[in-house]
Amino acid sequence: MGKIKITHKIILGIILFTLIIPNLTYPAKYKAKGWWYLSLTDFYAVLPPNLNPYVRLLSGAIGFGSPISVGMGTALVEGSREWGGILPIYLYWVPYIQFKENFAWPVCYFFLGFSEWTGDINIYLRAGMGIHYSVPIIGFGAEAGIIRYGYYYGYYEERTTYISPFIGITLSLLSIWKGIKVEEIEIHPPSIQILASFSDADGNKILSGSEEGKIQISITNKGNGKAKDCHLEISILEKNYKEIISYQEFLGVGNIQTNESRTVNIPIKAKGELPKGSFTIKITCHYKTEGNEPGSEVSEITINTAPTTGMIKVAFKNLSTEGLPSWIIPTPLEYADYSVEYSQDKVIILNLNTGERKTKNVSSKEEAQNFAKNFFLSWDKEPPRILLSSSGGTVNTENVKLFIRLSDDRKLDEMKIYLNGRLYKTEAFAEATETEREILIPLDMGDNEVKII
């Protein structure tokens, strides 16, 4: 056992790294000028080569705070059945120690211990690293390192030297780690600002059926502290839109320093035809402060939607869309079906697909606005029609099944069904001019009135 194999060192290093990394990533809210440790009894159980328990009585240590972090300690006695030492001297280096006000928990430390035993065992050395979690009265932890000791079989016999790696667990009674002149560290909080904008394929900022778009999100840290582990959570608030819109729900952003901005693009797409309306996207930026305290900032953006069927894309120049029918979608010229332009004394309406043109001389912008409005309103000449499978009467039943056919010369938008003055059902349509529905309506006791709009 005089030499340690390289494989042992690698395995030992991996285990020690795994034990210590949680401590190194834990936030430190307090700093101290120094630290001290005192324990009545420490029980150890170490491996390999065999499970070997040993004890340390009346141990203590004292050291400097960060960044020096070195210290010295001793114990009344330390040892097991085979080896040990009286008043061993320990040197400590404590790269990480987490204070809870005056108490320290947890602690990561490296150590080198030396003692000379006057009996059968002589020259005891122990070196390694460990972690210690302590609360008042009791503490526990883990250590790993190398033990070296010499063993005499008799006064005149040669000494045998043992060197062995070890991994062990510790249990301490009446154990306490405390800080010297502990001060709370001022942690500067971040301040997250979210700005979001929407753009779509045809540039009209209205998401249409099967159209693709993106949400550009800018995240800026206006605070005095770093925002750690930032990630975005995206959700649609309206239930009826969640199933018909494809989008990315989570996105990692990383750390954002003070006065730093990050810009991300979230792709969004309509899975099929959409109703005319709008939906709201809630954007939540989750982050941690420098003290690892969780935080979040919320922003919302509303996106208008429209079906592709039955809608007309029109580019307007020098005129507003006020008073126009709902099936007109203002759109940039390169994606439009019609253009409407007003200049000085005339208004020109141009069909961009066929080249057909309508021109009218006008004396004011108001007259030009009315001409454009009436031009498109003239396309919708008839009101919508409703045909039902029943016109009413006396029936003895708890439910009534209605077959409904809706039609219009221009476009159907929405149907509302009222039962005895109360709204029973609302449905928006993407179909252009005609649709059928079969509705089962539960009736109240007595006379019932069903109204369909």
Side-chain angles (χ1 to χ4, degrees):
M1 298 181 64
K3 295 183 179 181
I4 304 174
K5 293 182 179 180
I6 298 298
T7 54
H8 289 172
K9 292 182 179 180
I10 295 174
I11 294 173
L12 185 62
I14 293 173
I15 294 173
L16 295 180
F17 178 80
T18 305
L19 291 174
I20 292 171
I21 195 64
N23 292 345
L24 299 179
T25 58
Y26 197 82
K29 293 185 179 180
Y30 298 89
K31 62 180 179 179
K33 298 293 184 181
W35 54 267
W36 60 268
Y37 167 70
L38 186 64
S39 177
L40 176 65
T41 305
D42 297 328
F43 297 97
Y44 292 73
V46 301
L47 286 170
N50 300 311
L51 182 63
N52 195 357
Y54 69 96
V55 66
R56 183 166 59 189
L57 299 176
L58 291 178
S59 61
I62 189 169
F64 294 99
S66 179
I68 302 175
S69 304
V70 296
M72 179 177 290
T74 188
L76 180 63
V77 64
E78 175 179 6
S80 69
R81 295 172 302 178
E82 298 180 352
W83 45 263
I86 297 174
L87 295 176
I89 296 174
Y90 273 95
L91 298 177
Y92 290 93
W93 176 51
V94 184
Y96 184 82
I97 183 167
Q98 169 64 48
F99 293 101
K100 303 286 186 179
E101 296 181 344
N102 290 327
F103 293 98
W105 178 94
V107 180
C108 166
Y109 59 91
F110 291 80
F111 61 87
L112 173 65
F114 169 83
S115 178
E116 183 176 351
W117 188 267
T118 58
D120 290 336
I121 301 177
N122 189 272
I123 307 179
Y124 160 58
L125 292 171
R126 194 164 69 94
M129 59 195 303
I131 56 174
H132 184 87
Y133 298 83
S134 64
V135 293
I137 301 178
I138 190 170
F140 55 93
E143 287 188 359
I146 300 173
I147 295 176
R148 177 191 184 279
Y149 58 93
Y151 185 80
Y152 284 94
Y153 292 96
Y155 183 77
Y156 295 104
E157 296 182 18
E158 293 183 358
R159 184 183 68 189
T160 301
T161 299
Y162 290 88
I163 301 176
S164 174
F166 75 90
I167 300 172
I169 58 174
T170 66
L171 176 65
S172 305
L173 299 179
L174 296 178
S175 167
I176 188 172
W177 285 74
K178 292 195 72 174
I180 301 172
K181 293 185 178 180
V182 179
E183 298 177 355
E184 187 172 358
I185 299 173
E186 183 180 1
I187 297 177
H188 299 288
S191 178
I192 296 297
Q193 180 185 74
I194 302 173
L195 296 176
S197 61
F198 169 72
S199 60
D200 59 342
D202 60 15
N204 60 9
K205 298 187 182 298
I206 298 175
L207 190 64
S208 304
S210 301
E211 187 182 27
E212 295 183 357
K214 68 178 180 180
I215 304 170
Q216 186 176 79
I217 303 173
S218 174
I219 310 130
T220 304
N221 182 4
K222 296 288 188 179
N224 296 321
K226 178 172 66 174
K228 299 167 50 180
D229 302 330
C230 298
H231 66 276
L232 295 177
E233 180 182 359
I234 312 297
S235 61
I236 293 178
L237 299 184
E238 291 78 7
K239 292 182 180 180
N240 59 318
Y241 275 94
K242 285 185 177 181
E243 299 299 324
I244 57 178
I245 300 294
S246 173
Y247 62 99
Q248 189 172 351
E249 295 185 11
F250 298 96
L251 182 68
V253 179
N255 299 334
I256 304 178
Q257 304 290 341
T258 300
N259 295 323
E260 183 183 11
S261 295
R262 296 286 182 86
T263 300
V264 296
N265 293 313
I266 306 293
I268 187 170
K269 182 179 180 180
K271 294 181 180 180
E273 194 63 283
L274 296 179
K276 184 171 178 62
S278 64
F279 64 92
T280 301
I281 288 185
K282 179 181 178 182
I283 304 168
T284 305
C285 179
H286 299 278
Y287 61 88
K288 293 180 181 178
T289 67
E290 292 178 334
N292 272 15
E293 295 176 346
S296 62
E297 184 66 28
V298 177
S299 182
E300 294 181 355
I301 180 173
T302 298
I303 299 176
N304 294 321
T305 63
T308 53
T309 307
M311 307 299 286
I312 301 298
K313 297 178 180 180
V314 182
F316 292 90
K317 185 175 181 181
N318 299 328
L319 284 178
S320 73
T321 58
E322 184 179 355
L324 292 173
S326 60
W327 38 267
I328 296 295
I329 302 180
T331 305
L333 184 63
E334 58 268 31
Y335 301 105
D337 300 310
Y338 281 80
S339 70
V340 179
E341 181 179 353
Y342 165 69
S343 58
Q344 294 182 350
D345 58 352
K346 66 180 177 180
V347 58
I348 301 173
I349 300 177
L350 177 63
N351 186 327
L352 298 172
N353 298 316
T354 65
E356 183 182 357
R357 179 189 302 263
K358 263 191 171 304
T359 304
K360 180 176 176 61
N361 295 325
V362 293
S363 58
S364 66
K365 190 173 184 178
E366 182 180 1
E367 186 180 352
Q369 191 83 41
N370 287 331
F371 174 73
K373 180 179 68 174
N374 292 328
F375 173 80
F376 290 110
L377 285 175
S378 66
W379 293 12
D380 192 4
K381 298 177 181 179
E382 298 180 7
R385 294 175 297 277
I386 304 175
L387 294 177
L388 300 176
S389 58
S390 173
S391 60
T394 301
V395 293
N396 184 17
T397 181
E398 294 181 357
N399 302 284
V400 63
K401 183 183 290 186
L402 290 179
F403 292 92
I404 306 172
R405 172 175 287 185
L406 305 173
S407 59
D408 186 45
D409 67 328
R410 179 60 212 159
K411 185 182 179 302
L412 296 169
D413 289 316
E414 187 178 61
M415 173 184 67
K416 291 186 178 182
I417 301 176
Y418 292 84
L419 175 62
N420 297 324
R422 301 186 307 272
L423 182 63
Y424 172 70
K425 182 179 179 63
T426 299
E427 183 175 356
F429 300 115
E431 290 86 349
T433 59
E434 187 173 317
T435 187
E436 292 181 348
R437 293 292 186 270
E438 181 179 286
I439 305 294
L440 185 66
I441 302 176
L443 301 178
D444 298 333
M445 181 68 71
D447 295 335
N448 291 267
E449 180 187 56
V450 178
K451 181 188 292 185
I452 300 174
I453 299 177

